[in-house]
Amino acid sequence: MKHSTTLFVGLDVHKDMIAVAHVSDEPGAETTAVGPIGTRQCDLDKLTRRLQSKAAHLVFVYEAGPCGYHLYRYLTGKGLVCQVVAPSLIPRKAGDKVKTDRRDAALLARMARSGDLTPVHVPDVEDEAIRDLSRAREDALKDLKAARLRLKSFLLRLNLRYDGRATWNDAHLRYLARVV
């Protein structure tokens, strides 16, 4: 039996599991912890079927994190409402130091119901691919710089000094090729 209420579902997403809690939009409704579920699409389908039996309208909310936006794209692709929020934009009490998955999911559900969360822009798949490529390039350049520094330090410890003006040009690379 479907009720005409909205169910706000907080998801605390991790690599191996998702902690789920929900709260109804009815006044005085308590937050209910569903518990952990898997991260596969069949696990999400099972959850949505279970929650759709409780309410006609579902609003999913989760924190942006290293797992990306696959969950957002999957849920919105199924016609469900999903919001991604930045962890830094979630209001927290000053003394609230205890962080558990269940509490985080319940907090997200309650905050979504009260309207205290600010959703972030979810990039398109193409934009996200460009971001990933540029981040990978930056990481590779950082690794290259560190490897060059290690090599120069190693040669310096062996008292092998390059006398040229600039390093890492053709003349320097020829010098390095001759080092035995």
Side-chain angles (χ1 to χ4, degrees), residues 9 35 68 162:
V9 184
Y162 175 64

Side-chain angles (χ1 to χ4, degrees), residues 14-36:
H14 298 283
K15 178 180 73 168
D16 298 326
M17 66 97 176
I18 301 171
V20 182
H22 63 79
V23 64
S24 174
D25 65 346
E26 297 170 357
E30 291 293 319
T31 307
T32 305
V34 175

Side-chain angles (χ1 to χ4, degrees), residues 147-163:
R148 286 177 170 176
L149 181 63
R150 280 194 303 271
L151 179 61
K152 285 176 73 172
S153 298
F154 176 69
L155 293 174
L156 191 59
R157 282 194 304 271
L158 296 176
N159 201 27
L160 296 172
R161 299 170 192 269
Y162 175 64
D163 294 331

Side-chain angles (χ1 to χ4, degrees), residues 114-126:
S114 66
D116 291 338
L117 297 176
T118 306
V120 298
H121 168 71
V122 176
D124 296 334
V125 176
E126 296 83 15

Side-chain angles (χ1 to χ4, degrees), residues 55-86:
H57 185 63
L58 300 176
V59 177
F60 291 89
V61 179
Y62 74 96
E63 292 179 353
C67 295
Y69 301 108
H70 301 289
L71 181 60
Y72 171 85
R73 291 189 185 106
Y74 181 71
L75 291 172
T76 54
K78 293 184 66 73
L80 299 166
V81 178
C82 185
Q83 296 177 349
V84 181
V85 296

